[in-house]
Amino acid sequence: MFIDYETFRMRADALLHRIAEQCQAAGRKPQEVTLLPVTKTHPAAAAEYAARYGLAAVGENRVQEAVDKRAQTQAAVRWELIGHLQSNKAKLATAHFGRIQSVDSEKLLDVLDRAAGELGRKLPVLLQINAGNDPAKFGAEPADAPRLLELALAKPHLQIDGLMTIAPLAEDPAVARRTFANLRTIRDQLAARSGAPLRELSMGMSGDWAAAIAEGSTLVRIGSALYGPRP
């Protein structure tokens, strides 16, 4: 059985309070960090809860799941794709998502740019970098990041907002923290080299968001801490 709105509200209040505390500990302002509720595998009501609470966007891992949920709800939120995107789903994703966080290849850049052009829109994206050098994770290799950004900035129908990463699964919390620090360093180097601000650093999930904030995350992707375990 899915949680009720009051449970969601209490969890969101508590989480935002903890985020504010972590920001203070890191010498940062709470408004520098956005909470992105991840509605993956949860019903359409999960997006409605986020909208009712006043959150601007929700994150989904799968294109078709988001398309189906959008059809079931009038929730006034932006939908962001945070899961791996296959190029054959890129056109559908461009039509349904406000931003795509998982762009990790030249081929995907080409297809998304073309699809956005056909729709007459400029599509915000994040470049996904495998900052933890984890063979189990998607994302461009750190060494390939400069070329990927150069290609991305040349696309007329794409808006490059920043970078995204997923930390490796590890019992040692230092692994996640090193991953996030690495992404921040990559971002700083790319921004200095290209002149693009790359303001967004999407990193941190339910189990490691505090370390992500300490290392400069601007957006934490939280599912289970808000909605409970996935069904």
Side-chain angles (χ1 to χ4, degrees):
M1 186 174 174
F2 190 54
I3 62 168
D4 58 19
Y5 174 72
E6 187 61 22
T7 301
F8 173 85
R9 185 190 65 76
M10 290 171 60
R11 288 176 178 174
D13 283 349
L15 184 57
L16 286 172
H17 179 71
R18 290 173 63 203
I19 287 172
E21 287 181 332
Q22 184 62 33
C23 285
Q24 186 175 17
R28 302 181 60 199
K29 297 175 182 175
Q31 54 266 37
E32 293 175 13
V33 179
T34 298
L35 170 61
L36 182 72
V38 176
T39 52
K40 172 185 177 181
T41 73
H42 296 296
E48 293 171 355
Y49 289 179
R52 182 174 168 187
Y53 189 79
L55 297 169
V58 295
E60 272 288 342
N61 285 63
R62 297 185 177 92
V63 176
Q64 192 59 53
E65 186 176 342
V67 172
D68 293 343
K69 285 179 189 173
R70 283 192 72 194
Q72 296 169 35
T73 177
Q74 298 297 312
V77 291
R78 183 176 67 253
W79 295 76
E80 300 206 19
L81 182 65
I82 59 175
H84 180 62
L85 177 61
Q86 297 171 311
S87 55
N88 64 350
K89 297 260 183 80
K91 189 169 184 177
L92 184 64
T94 303
H96 286 273
F97 286 93
R99 182 162 65 183
I100 295 175
Q101 295 198 20
S102 49
V103 181
D104 61 359
S105 70
E106 180 178 357
K107 181 180 181 182
L108 199 49
L109 285 170
D110 290 340
V111 179
L112 289 172
D113 183 59
R114 193 179 315 122
E118 290 171 359
L119 289 171
R121 67 174 296 205
K122 190 144 189 165
L123 176 68
V125 302
L126 302 182
L127 301 182
Q128 183 175 356
I129 308 299
N130 188 2
N133 298 299
D134 182 355
K137 294 286 188 289
F138 290 106
E141 294 306 311
D144 297 332
R147 181 170 182 274
L148 189 65
L149 176 63
E150 185 179 351
L151 293 168
L153 291 172
K155 300 296 182 189
H157 305 293
L158 299 183
Q159 172 185 303
I160 317 306
D161 287 348
L163 307 179
M164 182 268 253
T165 199
I166 302 170
L169 278 174
E171 290 188 10
D172 182 1
V175 173
R177 183 135 186 183
R178 281 196 302 269
T179 299
F180 302 143
N182 191 30
L183 189 72
R184 187 191 69 238
T185 298
I186 292 168
R187 189 278 306 273
D188 292 348
Q189 292 171 345
L190 292 177
R193 184 167 163 177
S194 68
L198 304 176
R199 289 188 183 90
E200 203 80 270
L201 277 181
S202 173
M203 53 190 197
M205 301 191 293
S206 288
D208 55 21
W209 61 264
I213 288 175
E215 294 299 340
S217 175
T218 65
L219 185 150
V220 290
R221 310 179 301 269
I222 309 293
S224 58
L226 286 171
Y227 297 112
R230 291 183 192 137

